[in-house]
Amino acid sequence: MPKQTQPRPVRLVCGLGNPGSEYAQTRHSAGFATVDVLAERWGVRYWKEQQGNLVATYKLRLPDGNTREILLAKPQSYMNTSGGPLSKLMRAEQIQPSEILVVHDEVDLPAGEVRAKWAGGLNAHNGLRSVAAKLGTQDFARVRFGIGRPPGKMSVADWALRQLKGSFADEFAVQANLAADMVEDVLVRGIAACS
């Protein structure tokens, strides 16, 4: 059994999602929605293409008065290959897996719930599987954005990729703000304190 890595202060927040306007208002793009909320809160307007990701930078002021540069990233490949662009960005920026926070949708959490977690399983999530495969480890921080299980006999894929409208879209936007709150908490207090 490989020795588990210990978490370090987060330097990169990666939201998982699918690129393109047809996926913007879907549960599967919960990670993108959360990163977009953070960018809006922080007044980040400049995004650049870097190693197949949309990337923005923010200097986070910590309670002790110091600052830490945080990268926001949205891999621009589809969800099941998002580990490729993320791992290239991490190599370019010399960021370790123990310094990233991945925000993703989670069917095993009820809609409306947000939880932080260090390491552990991948819950059959193709985006997490891709990230873990490319990084060679499951030892990284996550913020799990609950989307719940689909009703009736609907497939998980249809549930995750359905366009959200009306009250569903409103609830999703509220939850993206809760997830952004959780990310900010992890950035300041660390994943161990927030899990």
Side-chain angles (χ1 to χ4, degrees), residues 51-98:
Q51 271 82 34
N53 302 269
L54 283 178
V55 177
T57 308
Y58 178 69
K59 281 208 177 342
L60 177 73
R61 184 163 294 285
L62 300 166
D64 63 6
N66 290 321
T67 59
R68 185 186 328 136
E69 187 170 277
I70 304 294
L71 288 183
L72 296 175
K74 297 189 287 185
Q76 294 299 291
S77 66
Y78 285 102
M79 177 73 79
N80 59 356
T81 57
S82 49
L86 174 60
S87 63
K88 287 177 186 164
L89 176 64
M90 289 169 63
R91 277 197 300 278
E93 296 291 334
Q94 298 184 319
I95 293 172
Q96 300 301 311
S98 56

